[in-house]
């Protein structure tokens, strides 16, 4: 069996939740974002941990993720952030889900079905305030909201928007978006729509204490223990929840000038000890880490040498005494006093920690460490 393993520390996720809660203040509700299989950490155990820690709401991307949670017995309110298609209306009603709403036809379909089943379906109206991704475009907000006032069977429980630049504390665009969102909220109130749950703050905004006053915040990445942008030292204690480990499967001593891996992109500068691990880009370890990545073995950092291949990567372990087949190799996480973070890997390959976590989580067998 492949010795690779992604280990998820649920206690770290719980503690990160508590840290966010403390920062946001005890009156602020928390919608924990668990889309993309909880950023690769596994949505079912993560949601159960967050539910018992006191999360008020869960946010998923699509209906399928929401149904998966309900089937596993999750009872928290769930916001389907991508919205729904008309065919999905029955499943929303049956499973007590809250769709993001930004389309007239969907509002009408929800209204009709809800009235027919003597139900009132909660919705969160999603407004696009400048991200230009998803939501009612702000110029169309008034007429959309107006049309909702005459629809029976749906209740505008919430309104929300998403921030484009919250990972850049100095960027004035965030305040512009928040300002526009407040205007649209006032417009809604003038029309008699008074949503009780209003939210805009993702992790970046949270760290800057922006958008707290609205009543609910929507953290994702912070819960998994990574800052929303690299080099941003958050003033809350964060514990990275994911660790990715493998083991050495071969060790060889080679003379100076020996080429390593496809393309012979690395040649040993002297006699070297090269170790192979069964991890490659198929396991979420990017090929862009070729000749760039570092991993931990026997508590020390060693470099990836040559190209990362589909399922194998070579390490120059010459600086470490006694490396042997079976030794544990940490690709993400800590070993001894050293730690490799998702931010560090992300920076080397020109992406963000979010993508690194999603890739490692989805490509490997996961095991869980439960809170004590
Ligand atoms: C992903 C997402 C979040 C969470 O973002 P983080 O940066 O991980 O905190 C919040 N809201 C929406 C709509 C999202 O898509």
């Amino acid at each position: 069996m492949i010795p690779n393993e992604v280990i998820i520390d649920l206690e770290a996720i719980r503690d990160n939740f508590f840290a966010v809660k403390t920062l946001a203040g005890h009156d602020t509700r928390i919608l924990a974002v668990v889309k993309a299989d909880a950023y690769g950490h596994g949505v079912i155990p993560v949601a159960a941990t967050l539910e018992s820690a006191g999360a008020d709401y869960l946010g998923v991307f699509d209906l399928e993720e929401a149904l998966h949670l309900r089937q596993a017995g999750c009872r928290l309110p769930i916001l389907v952030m991508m919205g729904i298609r008309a065919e999905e209306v029955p499943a929303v009603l049956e499973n007590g889900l809250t769709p993001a709403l930004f389309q007239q036809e969907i509002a009408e379909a929800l209204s009709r079905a809800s009235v027919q089943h003597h139900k009132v379906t909660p919705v969160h109206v999603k407004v696009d305030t400048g991200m230009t991704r998803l939501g009612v475009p702000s110029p169309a907000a008034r007429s959309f909201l107006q049309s909702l006032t005459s629809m029976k069977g749906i209740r505008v429980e919430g309104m929300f928007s998403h921030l484009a630049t919250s990972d850049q504390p100095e960027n004035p665009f965030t305040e512009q978006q928040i300002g526009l969102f407040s205007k649209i909220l006032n417009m809604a109130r003038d029309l008699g729509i008074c949503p009780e749950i209003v939210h805009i703050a993702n992790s970046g905004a949270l760290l800057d204490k922006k958008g707290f006053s609205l009543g609910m915040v929507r953290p994702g990445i912070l819960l998994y223990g990574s800052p929303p942008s690299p080099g941003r030292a958050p003033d809350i204690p964060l514990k990275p929840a994911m660790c990715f480990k493998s083991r050495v499967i071969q060790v060889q001593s080679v003379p100076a000038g020996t080429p390593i891996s496809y393309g012979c992109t690395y040649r040993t500068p002297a006699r070297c000890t090269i170790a192979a691990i069964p991890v490659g880009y198929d396991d979420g370890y990017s090929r862009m880490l070729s000749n760039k990545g570092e991993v931990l073995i026997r508590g020390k950092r060693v470099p990836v040498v040559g190209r990362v291949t589909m399922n194998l990567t070579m390490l120059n372990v010459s600086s470490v005494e006694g490396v042997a087949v079976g030794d544990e190799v940490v690709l993400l996480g800590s070993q001894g006093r050293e730690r490799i973070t998702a931010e560090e890997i992300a920076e080397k390959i020109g992406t963000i920690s979010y993508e690194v976590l999603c890739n490692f989580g989805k490509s490997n067998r996961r095991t869980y460490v439960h809170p004590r």
Side-chain angles (χ1 to χ4, degrees):
M1 195 177 58
I2 293 283
N4 300 344
E5 193 176 30
V6 160
I7 301 152
I8 306 296
D9 181 355
L10 294 171
E11 187 166 275
I13 292 178
R14 185 196 64 183
D15 291 349
N16 293 331
F17 175 85
F18 291 149
V20 166
K21 184 82 187 164
T22 304
L23 179 68
H26 279 266
D27 298 335
T28 305
R29 286 191 254 204
I30 298 188
L31 178 149
V33 178
V34 294
K35 65 188 181 199
D37 206 16
Y39 293 39
H41 293 66
V43 69
I44 302 303
V46 167
T49 302
L50 292 167
E51 184 165 5
S52 62
D56 301 279
Y57 234 105
L58 295 176
V60 298
F61 180 62
D62 62 13
L63 178 77
E64 194 183 333
E65 293 178 316
L67 295 181
H68 183 42
L69 277 166
R70 281 285 181 263
Q71 276 146 21
C74 171
R75 295 167 61 171
L76 282 177
I78 301 175
L79 178 64
V80 182
M81 298 193 296
M82 111 173 214
I84 54 162
R85 290 173 292 124
E87 314 86 272
E88 297 176 329
V89 165
V92 166
L93 268 62
E94 273 161 41
N95 291 278
L97 303 173
T98 311
L101 186 66
F102 47 88
Q103 286 161 302
Q104 187 77 28
E105 319 79 77
I106 301 297
E108 282 160 13
L110 267 173
S111 168
R112 243 177 286 121
S114 301
V115 167
Q116 201 182 6
H117 293 89
H118 310 286
K119 284 190 175 172
V120 177
T121 304
V123 297
H124 287 207
V125 171
K126 168 122 201 222
V127 187
D128 191 329
T129 55
M131 172 101 175
T132 319
R133 189 173 74 165
L134 203 64
V136 190
S138 55
R142 176 185 281 281
S143 67
F144 183 72
L145 289 164
Q146 175 86 59
S147 75
L148 296 185
T149 58
S150 59
M151 283 187 208
K152 298 201 165 48
I154 54 179
R155 178 168 66 91
V156 181
E157 175 193 81
M159 271 178 69
F160 73 115
S161 189
H162 195 44
L163 296 169
T165 61
S166 69
D167 58 330
Q168 306 159 13
E170 311 303 324
N171 199 320
F173 197 64
T174 301
E175 293 300 344
Q176 276 175 44
Q177 282 195 272
I178 294 175
L180 180 54
F181 187 50
S182 316
K183 275 200 194 126
I184 294 168
L185 272 175
N186 287 334
M187 196 191 277
R189 291 196 182 105
D190 290 344
L191 292 166
I193 296 174
C194 300
E196 75 240 43
I197 310 182
V198 180
H199 43 110
I200 195 165
N202 52 3
S203 293
L206 245 159
L207 288 184
D208 290 329
K209 305 185 171 62
K210 286 177 185 155
F212 280 16
S213 56
L214 298 172
M216 188 158 86
V217 292
R218 265 192 342 258
I221 197 75
L222 289 178
L223 300 174
Y224 307 104
S226 174
S229 51
R232 180 117 183 256
D235 41 352
I236 57 169
L238 288 182
K239 300 182 181 171
M242 185 186 288
C243 184
F244 180 20
K245 290 181 180 172
S246 182
R247 288 190 185 275
V248 171
I249 59 168
Q250 190 187 357
V251 180
Q252 48 182 320
S253 176
V254 297
T258 304
I260 312 284
S261 190
Y262 289 126
C264 305
T265 60
Y266 181 87
R267 278 178 196 270
T268 52
R271 174 157 285 281
C272 282
T273 311
I274 303 294
I277 53 171
V279 173
Y281 51 81
D282 178 45
D283 310 292
Y285 200 71
S286 173
R287 186 169 175 277
M288 288 186 280
L289 289 161
S290 299
N291 290 309
K292 272 195 197 164
E294 287 187 336
V295 305
L296 308 179
I297 185 162
R298 300 199 169 204
K300 298 215 172 81
R301 273 176 185 265
V302 298
V304 166
V305 287
R307 292 221 175 113
V308 171
T309 73
M310 193 178 281
N311 292 119
L312 288 164
T313 293
M314 271 52 73
L315 311 170
N316 186 344
V317 296
S318 308
S319 62
V320 185
E321 233 9 70
V323 170
V325 168
D327 279 3
E328 179 189 87
V329 174
V330 170
L331 298 113
L332 172 74
S334 65
Q335 192 190 54
R337 276 189 232 145
E338 283 280 359
R339 176 181 283 283
I340 310 261
T341 64
E343 301 85 84
E344 172 187 334
I345 296 171
E347 216 206 298
K348 285 191 173 137
I349 64 176
T351 185
I352 52 177
S353 59
Y354 300 61
E355 188 176 353
V356 172
L357 296 174
C358 286
N359 283 339
F360 287 174
K362 96 172 121 211
S363 314
N364 295 283
R365 180 168 59 96
R366 287 181 299 231
T367 57
Y368 290 88
V369 180
H370 290 268
R372 270 161 285 147

